Amino acid sequence: MIHLASYFVVGVLFALGLGMGGMTDPHRVQGFLDIFGDWDPSLAFVMMGAVCLHVVTYRFIRKRATPMISAHWHIPERKDLNAKLIGGSLMFGAGWGLAGYCPGPALTSLTSLDMNIFIFVGCMILGMITFSFVDRFLTCRNPKNPMA
Amino acid sequence: MLLWNGRVTGISGILNGALHFKKNDWLWRVLFVAGLIAGGFILKAIWPETIMNQSTRAPIYLAVAGWLVGFGTVMGSGCTSGHGVCGLSRLSIRSFLATLSFMVMGIVMVAAMRKLGVF
C-alpha cells in the first residue's frame, strides 16, 4: 500500500517540478530549442540543475543495499548502442521540436483542458501502440533482426 | 522514486508500461501517471500561468508530433526524463547518445520551421 501511494506522491512532485521549471509551457520549450533564432536558454539551467543534483544524489542513494520501500533496485542495465536507440531518439526529437511537448509535461498539461493537448497525448499513446505492433511484427518475422 | 522505489523516473517507459496490463507491474504506473495529472491540477490552482499557456498551433502539428513522440520514445527506450535526466546522471553512454540525438533533432526541427516561416 505505502509503495503504491509513494508512486502517486512522486508523480505529483514531478508535475510540480515540471510546472515550476517551465517545462509545461511549449513556447518556452521551443524557445529553448531555437538556438539559431530567438534563443531562450532558461530551460538549460533547469536541465543542468536536475542533472547536477541527481548525479550527486544518485551516488549516495545507490550506496544503500536496497531502496527504502522496494526490496530491489530496478535500474536499466543495457549498454548496447544500436540504430533503434538513435532512430527512436531522432523521431522523438522531431516531435518534441514540432510541438514543444515531451511526455511528462504533456500529461501534466492535460489539466489545462486545451483541445490541442488532448490531440497530442492521444496521438502519443497511439504512437506507442503502433511501435509495439511494429516491433512484434519484426520480431516474429526475423527473431535475430538486430533492429528488433 | 530512486530512493523510495529503486526506479529511474522515465515517463515514456512508465506510460508505455501502463498501456499493457501486466500483473504486479501495472498499478504503480497508473498511479504515477495519475499523480502527474493531479500535480497538473495543483499547478493550475496555484500558478495557472504554468498550465494555461498551451500550444496555439494547428491541431495537425500536435497530432503528427504526438505520434512521433510516442513512437520515438518507445523505440529509443526513453525521453527527456529517462535519458536526459536520469540517464545522464547515471553517466550512461546510451542515454548520452539518445539525449544528443533528440536535442539535435529538436533544434533542427525548430530551425527548419523558422526557415519555412511556420514558427
Side-chain angles (χ1 to χ4, degrees), chain B residues 91-112:
Chain B
L91 310 178
S92 152
I93 310 280
R94 263 174 72 82
S95 291
F96 178 77
L97 264 177
T99 307
L100 193 69
S101 307
F102 67 67
M103 292 284 276
V104 167
M105 199 61 199
I107 289 167
V108 167
M109 203 66 194
V110 170

Side-chain angles (χ1 to χ4, degrees), chain A residues 3-20 23-27 29-38 47 50-52 54-55 57-59 61-62 64 66-70 72-99 101-104 107-114 116-117 119-121 123-132 134 136 147, chain B residues 1-17 19-20 24 26-44 46-47 49-111 113-114 118-119:
Chain A
H3 92 276
L4 286 176
S6 71
Y7 286 112
F8 182 81
V9 173
V10 174
V12 172
L13 290 175
F14 199 96
L16 294 180
L18 287 175
M20 287 191 242
M23 293 289 294
T24 48
D25 181 343
H27 306 94
V29 173
Q30 289 187 317
F32 165 64
L33 293 171
D34 193 16
I35 56 172
F36 300 116
D38 188 14
M47 179 125 180
V51 172
C52 291
H54 198 42
V55 164
T57 51
Y58 181 79
R59 304 244 137 174
I61 294 173
R62 285 306 301 277
R64 300 172 57 93
T66 64
M68 284 171 80
I69 299 174
S70 180
H72 305 284
W73 295 105
H74 311 267
I75 306 292
E77 277 163 0
R78 286 177 62 176
K79 297 252 188 297
D80 54 316
L81 305 173
N82 56 28
K84 219 169 140 181
L85 175 78
I86 310 287
S89 297
L90 289 174
M91 284 178 72
F92 161 46
W96 192 37
L98 201 56
Y101 294 109
C102 51
L107 290 170
T108 300
S109 298
L110 284 174
T111 55
S112 68
L113 304 180
D114 187 283
N116 265 346
I117 191 65
I119 295 173
F120 182 89
V121 171
C123 289
M124 176 168 87
I125 289 173
L126 196 68
M128 290 179 163
I129 297 171
T130 318
F131 178 77
S132 58
V134 172
R136 214 174 305 157
M147 281 288 288
Chain B
M1 184 80 116
L2 183 71
L3 176 63
W4 284 351
N5 302 306
R7 291 183 189 278
V8 293
T9 311
I11 313 292
S12 57
I14 295 174
L15 178 65
N16 185 48
L19 300 175
H20 310 274
N24 297 328
W26 183 75
L27 190 55
W28 72 269
R29 295 168 184 273
V30 174
L31 284 167
F32 178 79
V33 172
L36 274 180
I37 297 173
F41 280 111
I42 298 176
L43 284 170
K44 192 178 177 179
I46 308 179
W47 298 287
E49 70 281 5
T50 61
I51 282 294
M52 298 318 286
N53 198 12
Q54 295 304 322
S55 181
T56 46
R57 273 173 205 292
I60 185 72
Y61 279 90
L62 279 297
V64 173
W67 190 86
L68 282 168
V69 168
F71 194 97
T73 49
V74 183
M75 180 170 164
S77 322
C79 60
T80 334
S81 52
H83 280 313
V85 177
C86 295
L88 289 188
S89 309
R90 294 185 297 111
L91 310 178
S92 152
I93 310 280
R94 263 174 72 82
S95 291
F96 178 77
L97 264 177
T99 307
L100 193 69
S101 307
F102 67 67
M103 292 284 276
V104 167
M105 199 61 199
I107 289 167
V108 167
M109 203 66 194
V110 170
M113 283 160 72
R114 226 179 224 296
V118 289
F119 189 66

